[in-house]
């Protein structure tokens, strides 16, 4: 399945519209609220593509649609030129391991009743990976074996997020979907996680689709950035271009704000 | 967890402990059989030989309370277990899948809850006869609804937890997600609901037996012993009062335990 | 004369094996100033705010003393288990804002009514007219007080909920406002709006502010003094201007270096990890396993407090020198 062709997008989203229905009185008076409207973008192999926007602008909905958790109203999502939305359930299951999520909410990302070692073993078994031991796996994310017998609530935020990343690597994914991977972490830990992700991308040949509202940190990781607001993507550019020549007023405000807050300490 | 500070749980456990002792080891201390009749001493009031007197057929009331307790509590516990199993499985699947089956099952639950349970059970028992297994099943079949609702609402919130989503994204099967990753996290409210339903079922069974439709002679249950006293409840107080108190205390005991467990499982406490 | 001073605050669990959440924390808050508390997640920032209001669970053992001093009211607290001592402080002298603003409000009551509840308590149960609430809302910066008055917490957007939480806190006319990570779920633009309004309100109501955050940029640009926490210990308490130019504690130094490179959008240099110093961070310096200056001494005992100029201090055996 490995596609080394740099010019063929690994993920291509076109005209995606996601609609949530609210039921006021009964199933007959549904009100619709479009969380994502007519969004298109392409992610090429080896990219780190970031979608930036305020909370509630529809970023997470896009990731959920790619993972098959919500059904979009319109549009298409091509993964390696296969439309994920029209394929049969069984076929979709084959693609599941290749696209793995890392969510923002790492406090809830690990089953609270399992020890770390059980959580990882469970995934190793389901994904039938025999070629890697748990010790090797957690070494990849920079953790020691001492935490294996802990329960999730005994770990710090950074450790939890590393375990989540380790688990996401188990099915040998091609594409990682990162939903605000560092925004609940403080800067020392956030920087370590960013570094880890950067190294992993090189070592494991991964492609990232990243979603966040924190521009300064995104800048360290992403090579393309799309700016999103109220369900629309306004502007999409390589990272440095975006910071130098923001076009849309909202982008400009966002970039300025980020730069101003950075001036507090230079 | 400091159980000692949890008074409801401690008191509830002590009450149920003594009732259980009474029911389990009681036979060691009486020399009568629960069925042996002696019409000569019919309805005699408490005495040394018969600490709680005798009933119409001259049977020792204390002995009958012991064996009756086994039946009352046994019916309650077994019905509650069956009800929990049915309720949990239905709650799990409807909560997880949602959609049309969920709609149908939940409306069915509403309908079941809308019927006055005791009367429906009465009707069925009245038409179909009442052996003890029949009682257990009929009561269970009319007690699972609350549990299904509780489990369903827990599952609906748990299935959106990030760890469940991650498991889905890694291709875990639905059964594995449901039974290994969701079910254990719903267990707290289920335990509380189970204990509570044991106490309601004790009442339902007593009610049925009191009306003469529950446990049939010559077997006894606490409710049927009450039934024996109904011609002259005050005159034959040794039939009505002890049975009444046993029912009262076991219901209070189980309710206290449920209260205590709720408090113990309160995350703010830890 | 500081409005609030905390001396040697320690919070421990009363379990069989006591664990320490906070150990020997001291700081002062001067009237009209802003104190920022920074530290990683789990460092004990929220525990400090709860301790100040006496709302930590009773299962915790609290030691130390706290002095509150504002015009006539002088309260000093030595026994933290006595709830009555805190009653005059809560809401009317010290108010607290949480990160999860909408979650900290009553979901079943309209915002207007919640404000009325608080104003009533503050004004000793005089009746409050709707008009006075609307006036209050427009004074706290809402352009459409009527809409806010009528909405339920869940109808507010994240940013708006934070603004309403601020108004709710102000309704009790507190002298000290404690904000526990109020902006960490907001994006850059709504965050700036919130911080701007907070600054205006601070001036208008003559507040002293304790601002808890893990965003260093905000802490540096907002505060007059900074308390740096690490694993439940106060490692450095300094004036912000001094801290910026000459951090003493290596942890603070590392934080600032990282911040600088992120701000300049450089990838920070490799940070060395895990220096074996033959000791551990429970008995010794909390930072000893990550500190590049650590020696065996650091692993054994917690370094003594070095006072720079009352009340400012740091705790390190081998402090950084001025560059
Ligand atoms: N009631 C309690 N009993 C025992 N431990 C507790 C209790 N409350 C908090 N803790 C522990 O105290 C430590 C400090 O927690 P605190 O919430 O103050 O951290 P924080 O600095 O506010 O972190 P965050 O940035 O995540 O909000 C944590 O390790 C936490 O697990
Ligand atoms: S006391 Fe030692 S280990 Fe701690 S910060 Fe100072 S030099 Fe580093
Ligand atoms: Mg906190």
């Amino acid at each position: 399945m490995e596609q080394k062709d740099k010019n063929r997008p690994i993920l291509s989203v076109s005209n995606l519209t996601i609609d949530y229905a609210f039921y006021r009185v009964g199933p007959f008076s549904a009100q619709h609220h479009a969380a994502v409207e007519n969004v298109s973008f392409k992610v090429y192999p080896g990219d780190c593509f970031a979608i930036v926007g305020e909370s509630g602008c529809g970023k997470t909905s896009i990731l959920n649609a790619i993972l098959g958790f919500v059904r979009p109203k319109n549009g298409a999502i091509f993964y390696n030129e296969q439309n994920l939305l029209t394929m049969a359930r069984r076929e979709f299951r084959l693609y599941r391991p290749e696209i793995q999520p890392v969510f923002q909410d790492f406090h809830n990302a690990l089953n609270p009743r399992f020890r770390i070692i059980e959580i990882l073993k469970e995934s190793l078994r389901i994904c039938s990976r025999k070629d890697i031991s748990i010790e090797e796996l957690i070494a990849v994310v920079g953790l020691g074996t001492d935490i294996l017998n802990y329960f999730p609530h005994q770990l710090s935020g950074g450790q939890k997020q590393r375990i989540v990343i380790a688990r996401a690597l188990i099915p040998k994914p091609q594409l990682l979907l990162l939903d605000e991977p560092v925004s609940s972490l403080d800067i020392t830990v956030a920087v370590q996680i960013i570094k880890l992700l950067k190294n992993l991308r090189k070592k494991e040949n991964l492609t990232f689709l990243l979603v966040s509202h924190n521009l300064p940190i995104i800048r360290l990781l992403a090579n393309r950035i799309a700016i999103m607001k109220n369900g629309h993507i306004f502007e999409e550019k390589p990272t440095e271009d975006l910071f130098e020549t923001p076009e849309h007023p909202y982008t400009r405000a966002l970039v300025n704000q980020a730069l101003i807050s950075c001036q507090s300490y230079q | 967890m400091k159980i000692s500070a949890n008074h409801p749980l401690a008191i509830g456990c002590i009450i149920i402990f003594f009732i259980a002792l009474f029911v389990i080891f009681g036979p060691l201390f009486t020399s009568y059989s629960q069925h042996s009749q002696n019409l000569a001493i019919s309805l005699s009031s408490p005495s040394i030989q018969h600490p709680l007197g005798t009933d119409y057929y001259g049977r020792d009331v204390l002995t009958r309370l012991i064996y009756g307790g086994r039946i009352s509590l046994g019916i309650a516990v077994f019905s509650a277990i069956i009800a929990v199993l049915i309720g949990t499985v239905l709650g799990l699947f409807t909560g997880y899948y949602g959609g049309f089956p969920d709609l149908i099952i939940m409306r069915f639950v509403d309908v079941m809850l809308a019927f006055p349970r005791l009367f429906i059970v009465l009707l069925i028992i009245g038409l179909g006869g009442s052996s003890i297994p029949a009682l257990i099943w009929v009561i269970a079949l009319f007690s699972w609804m609350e549990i299904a609702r509780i489990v369903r609402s827990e599952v609906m919130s748990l299935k959106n937890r990030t760890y469940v989503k991650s498991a889905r994204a890694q291709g875990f099967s639905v059964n594995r997600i449901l039974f290994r990753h969701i079910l254990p996290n719903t267990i707290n409210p289920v335990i509380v609901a189970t204990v509570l339903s044991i106490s309601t079922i004790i009442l339902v069974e007593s009610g049925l037996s009191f009306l003469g439709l529950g446990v049939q002679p010559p077997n006894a249950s606490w409710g049927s012993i009450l039934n024996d006293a109904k011609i002259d409840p005050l005159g034959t107080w040794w039939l009505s009062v002890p049975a009444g108190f046993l029912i009262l205390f076991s219901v209070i005991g189980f309710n206290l335990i449920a209260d205590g467990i709720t408090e113990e499982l309160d995350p703010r406490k830890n | 004369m500081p409005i609030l001073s905390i001396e040697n605050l320690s919070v421990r669990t009363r379990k069989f094996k006591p664990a320490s959440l906070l150990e020997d924390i001291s700081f002062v808050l001067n009237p009209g100033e802003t104190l920022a508390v920074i530290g990683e997640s789990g460092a004990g920032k929220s525990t400090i705010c709860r301790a100040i209001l006496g709302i930590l669970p009773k299962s915790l053992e609290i030691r130390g003393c706290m002095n509150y001093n504002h015009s006539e009211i002088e309260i000093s607290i030595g026994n933290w288990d006595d709830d009555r001592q805190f009653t005059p402080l809560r809401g009317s002298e010290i108010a607290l804002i949480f990160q999860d603003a909408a979650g900290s409000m009553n979901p079943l009551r309209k915002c207007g009514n919640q404000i009325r509840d608080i104003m009533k308590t503050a004004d000793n149960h005089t009746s409050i007219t709707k008009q006075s609430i609307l006036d209050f809302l427009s004074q706290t910066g809402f352009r459409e007080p009527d809409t806010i008055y009528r909405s339920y917490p869940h109808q507010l957007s994240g940013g708006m909920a934070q603004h309403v939480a601020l108004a709710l806190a102000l309704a009790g006319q507190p002298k000290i406002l404690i904000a526990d990570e109020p902006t960490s779920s907001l994006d850059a633009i709504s965050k700036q709006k919130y911080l701007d309004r907070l600054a205006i309100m601070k001036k208008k109501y003559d507040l002293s502010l304790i601002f808890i955050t893990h965003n260093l940029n905000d802490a540096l640009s907002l505060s007059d003094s900074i308390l740096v926490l690490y694993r439940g210990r106060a490692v450095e308490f300094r004036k912000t201007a001094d801290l910026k130019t000459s951090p003493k504690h290596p942890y603070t130094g590392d934080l600032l270096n990282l911040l600088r490179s992120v701000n300049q959008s450089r990838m920070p240099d490799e940070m060395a990890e895990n220096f074996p110093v033959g000791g551990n961070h429970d008995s010794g310096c909390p930072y000893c396993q990550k500190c590049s200056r650590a020696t065996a001494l650091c692993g054994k005992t917690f370094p003594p407090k070095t006072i720079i100029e009352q009340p400012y201090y740091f705790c390190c055996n081998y402090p950084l020198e001025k560059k």
Side-chain angles (χ1 to χ4, degrees):
Chain A
M1 294 235 180
E2 196 109 323
Q3 298 225 344
K4 279 278 161 254
D5 192 348
K6 283 269 174 195
N7 299 320
R8 263 204 236 153
I10 181 167
L11 182 80
S12 148
V13 170
S14 62
N15 300 328
L16 190 70
T17 300
I18 302 174
D19 209 7
Y20 293 109
F22 293 101
Y23 298 102
R24 275 284 157 81
V25 191
F28 305 111
S29 59
Q31 299 211 329
H32 292 273
H33 163 75
V36 175
E37 266 189 282
N38 240 341
V39 161
S40 312
F41 58 88
K42 289 191 169 73
V43 183
Y44 292 91
D47 260 5
C48 176
F49 187 94
I51 305 178
V52 176
E54 63 181 356
S55 58
C57 75
K59 296 168 296 185
T60 307
S61 301
I62 297 181
L63 299 193
N64 279 336
I66 298 172
L67 289 166
F69 293 157
V70 298
R71 227 158 159 90
K73 188 173 156 209
N74 260 322
I77 298 172
F78 293 97
Y79 174 76
N80 280 337
E81 305 188 335
Q82 301 285 322
N83 191 341
L84 295 179
L85 296 180
T86 53
M87 68 176 51
R89 247 206 156 93
R90 181 161 306 160
E91 211 182 334
F92 183 64
R93 288 200 92 171
L94 297 179
Y95 285 98
R96 272 253 146 105
E98 304 202 5
I99 309 178
Q100 287 296 312
V102 172
F103 293 107
Q104 167 181 24
D105 174 23
F106 46 79
H107 293 296
N108 282 318
L110 304 170
N111 188 339
R113 285 181 189 255
F114 283 15
R115 290 176 194 279
I116 302 303
I117 188 162
E118 292 163 342
I119 292 174
L120 294 177
K121 262 194 193 148
E122 179 96 354
S123 287
L124 282 173
R125 185 153 81 228
I126 300 285
C127 305
S128 40
R129 288 270 316 252
K130 305 244 160 54
D131 53 324
I132 186 163
S133 71
I134 289 188
E135 287 75 19
E136 286 168 318
L137 187 67
I138 61 169
V140 172
V141 292
L143 288 173
T145 49
D146 45 332
I147 56 140
L148 282 179
N149 276 319
Y150 288 173
F151 283 100
H153 70 264
Q154 293 170 307
L155 300 187
S156 73
Q159 287 171 326
K160 275 186 220 165
Q161 195 63 307
R162 283 172 198 257
I163 295 291
V164 172
I165 293 172
R167 183 180 59 187
L169 294 178
I170 290 175
K172 292 197 178 159
Q174 303 285 312
L175 177 65
L176 273 195
L177 307 183
L178 305 163
D179 187 358
E180 307 262 13
V182 295
S183 47
S184 339
L185 298 167
D186 46 283
I187 190 166
T188 47
V189 187
V191 165
Q192 286 166 5
I193 297 283
I194 292 283
K195 274 194 178 156
L196 170 70
L197 289 172
K198 220 170 172 157
N199 290 341
L200 281 177
R201 184 150 70 98
K202 253 185 253 142
K203 250 196 326 214
E204 317 264 326
N205 254 324
L206 291 169
T207 307
F208 288 169
L209 174 58
L210 177 75
V211 152
S212 181
H213 69 244
N214 187 338
L215 264 179
I217 292 259
I218 292 307
R219 202 175 174 183
L220 297 175
L221 193 59
N223 56 357
R224 279 190 85 77
I225 295 184
I227 301 286
M228 191 167 176
K229 191 179 164 130
N230 290 341
H232 296 276
I233 286 188
F234 287 145
E235 195 165 351
E236 189 209 309
K237 276 188 174 161
T239 306
E240 288 320 310
D241 291 1
L242 186 97
F243 274 86
E244 270 149 35
T245 55
E247 267 161 40
H248 194 276
Y250 179 72
T251 318
R252 235 177 289 154
L254 210 60
V255 167
N256 276 342
Q257 199 49 62
L259 293 179
I260 289 171
S261 80
C262 285
Q263 274 159 13
S264 73
Y265 193 76
Q266 285 277 345
Chain B
M1 273 206 271
K2 268 209 283 190
I3 306 264
S4 61
N6 190 336
H7 300 301
L9 187 60
I11 298 174
C13 284
I14 291 172
I15 294 177
I16 297 302
F17 176 72
F18 279 112
I19 291 179
L21 275 189
F22 172 72
V23 174
I24 294 169
F25 297 107
L28 299 178
F29 301 100
T30 71
S31 46
Y32 303 98
S33 129
Q34 59 165 326
H35 299 313
S36 64
Q37 305 185 354
N38 182 352
L39 291 174
I41 52 167
S42 160
L43 283 182
S44 59
S45 54
S47 60
I48 308 281
Q49 289 86 18
H50 298 283
L52 288 179
T54 59
D55 65 3
Y56 293 103
Y57 301 100
R59 294 173 298 196
D60 181 50
V61 174
L62 182 61
T63 314
R64 284 181 71 74
L65 281 174
I66 292 168
Y67 287 100
R70 291 183 171 186
I71 290 178
S72 285
L73 294 179
I75 289 177
V77 170
F78 278 109
S79 309
I81 289 177
I82 296 173
V84 166
L85 287 180
I86 300 175
T88 308
V89 171
L90 279 179
L92 268 180
F93 282 97
T94 53
Y96 189 76
Y97 282 110
F100 194 65
D102 174 47
L103 195 77
I104 297 299
I105 293 179
M106 282 302 131
R107 290 302 80 79
F108 179 61
V109 165
D110 291 343
V111 171
M112 296 282 284
L113 283 171
F115 282 122
R117 176 164 60 181
L118 190 61
F119 290 103
I120 292 289
V121 175
L122 262 176
L123 191 70
I124 295 180
I125 298 281
L127 293 176
S130 61
S131 64
I132 289 175
L135 268 177
I136 292 181
W137 278 104
V138 172
I139 294 177
L141 286 180
F142 284 88
S143 308
W144 55 268
M145 293 84 73
E146 287 93 344
I147 303 209
R149 275 197 168 172
I150 293 170
V151 174
R152 172 175 173 270
S153 66
E154 283 288 306
V155 172
M156 298 228 297
S157 92
L158 285 170
K159 77 172 175 189
N160 289 321
R161 287 284 172 83
T162 311
Y163 72 84
V164 174
K165 283 191 178 176
S166 313
R168 282 173 69 189
Q170 300 212 312
F172 285 34
S173 70
V174 171
N175 282 337
R176 200 169 181 88
I177 291 180
L178 275 179
F179 288 101
R180 220 168 129 71
H181 294 271
I182 292 185
L183 182 60
N185 286 302
T186 64
I187 215 76
N188 298 354
V190 170
I191 292 176
V192 175
T194 311
V195 178
L196 273 181
S197 65
I198 291 181
S199 79
T200 29
I201 292 173
I202 291 177
L203 284 177
V204 170
E205 184 275 328
S206 313
L208 283 176
S209 299
F210 179 73
L211 295 171
L213 285 163
V215 175
Q216 296 299 314
N219 287 327
S221 80
W222 291 340
S224 73
I225 295 173
L226 271 183
N227 181 29
D228 292 345
K230 81 180 163 206
I231 295 170
D232 183 9
L234 292 179
T236 55
W237 58 268
W238 58 89
L239 281 175
S240 54
V241 174
F245 269 106
L246 279 169
I247 294 171
L248 179 68
F249 276 109
S250 33
V251 170
I252 291 179
F254 281 112
N255 275 319
L256 283 175
I257 292 181
D259 271 5
I261 296 179
T262 320
E263 193 181 312
E264 208 52 49
L265 297 176
D266 185 345
R268 277 165 301 179
K269 218 187 150 193
N270 297 321
Chain C
M1 192 67 185
I3 181 166
L4 183 78
S5 70
I6 301 271
E7 278 157 45
N8 311 95
L9 173 68
S10 298
V11 179
R12 304 196 185 94
T13 54
R14 283 190 228 256
K15 292 236 179 78
F16 173 63
K17 214 175 107 194
S20 170
L21 308 188
L22 287 179
E23 200 62 46
D24 206 7
I25 309 280
S26 308
F27 63 88
V28 303
L29 175 66
N30 291 321
E33 293 200 339
T34 301
L35 166 75
V37 180
I38 61 175
E40 31 174 57
S41 169
K45 304 183 297 283
S46 305
T47 311
I48 291 191
C49 335
R50 298 208 187 113
I52 293 176
L53 283 169
I55 52 174
L56 280 173
K58 290 279 170 273
S59 58
L60 297 174
E61 180 193 315
I62 310 170
R63 290 275 163 75
C65 77
M66 169 167 125
N67 288 299
Y68 175 84
N69 191 336
H70 181 265
S71 55
E72 297 105 74
I73 304 168
E74 212 184 310
I75 294 173
S76 86
I77 287 172
N79 171 13
W80 298 73
D81 287 335
D82 186 358
D83 229 28
R84 275 168 303 171
Q85 287 186 294
F86 287 99
T87 323
L89 288 180
R90 292 182 190 146
S92 54
E93 302 294 325
I94 307 181
L96 180 58
I97 305 178
F98 296 95
Q99 171 178 355
D100 174 21
S104 66
M105 293 181 223
N106 183 341
L108 300 178
R109 275 176 84 69
K110 290 181 184 162
C111 295
N113 289 332
Q114 300 197 37
I115 291 179
R116 174 177 291 123
D117 294 346
I118 295 180
M119 285 173 116
K120 265 190 187 164
T121 334
D123 283 353
N124 282 325
H125 309 280
T126 49
S127 59
I128 309 277
T129 59
K130 178 173 177 186
Q131 193 51 44
S132 63
I133 294 173
L134 292 180
D135 288 347
F136 172 74
L137 278 172
S138 44
Q139 283 201 2
T140 43
F142 291 98
R143 265 193 233 115
E144 292 172 3
D146 213 47
T147 330
I148 302 292
Y149 186 93
R150 275 184 284 113
S151 42
Y152 288 97
H154 69 93
Q155 295 172 323
L156 304 165
S157 70
M160 200 42 84
Q162 268 315 339
H163 288 280
V164 175
L166 176 62
L168 271 175
L170 292 176
Q173 299 165 5
K175 316 298 177 299
I176 300 180
L177 189 64
I178 305 180
D180 188 358
E181 312 224 20
T183 56
S184 52
S185 56
L186 306 180
D187 70 299
I189 295 176
S190 2
K191 184 177 84 180
Q192 201 48 48
K193 274 192 201 136
Y194 181 83
L195 294 180
D196 290 346
R197 187 180 294 187
L198 187 63
I200 296 172
M201 291 304 128
K202 177 169 172 273
K203 237 196 214 127
K204 197 167 189 170
Y205 292 93
D206 195 20
L207 294 168
S208 316
L209 189 63
I210 298 183
F211 189 76
I212 299 198
T213 180
H214 64 239
N215 187 327
L216 276 176
N217 277 325
D218 295 346
L220 291 176
S221 55
L222 276 179
S223 64
D224 300 296
S225 52
I226 291 193
L227 176 71
V228 186
L229 292 186
Y230 192 77
R231 288 172 157 267
R233 291 274 192 172
V235 294
E236 189 160 2
F237 175 49
R238 299 281 297 284
K239 280 213 175 82
T240 306
D242 297 347
L243 190 91
K244 257 190 199 173
T245 49
S246 67
K248 291 287 184 199
H249 198 279
Y251 174 59
T252 325
D254 287 347
L255 278 182
L256 290 176
N257 283 338
L258 283 175
L259 182 70
R260 178 182 287 128
S261 49
V262 171
N263 281 350
Q264 294 171 350
S265 82
R266 274 189 293 112
M267 200 63 187
D269 311 324
E270 256 337 291
M271 249 181 64
E273 272 180 58
N274 291 330
F275 294 91
V277 288
N280 68 48
H281 41 234
D282 290 329
S283 58
C285 171
Y287 198 51
C288 67
Q289 288 173 355
K290 293 195 174 167
C291 177
S292 54
R293 305 177 148 236
T295 63
L297 172 67
C298 304
K300 278 195 203 94
T301 53
F302 185 74
K305 211 183 257 182
T306 312
I307 292 175
I308 307 170
E309 172 199 348
Q310 243 349 318
Y312 300 104
Y313 63 88
F314 63 88
C315 301
C316 173
N317 293 325
Y318 311 103
L320 305 171
E321 295 84 33
K322 204 164 180 170
K323 273 171 233 145

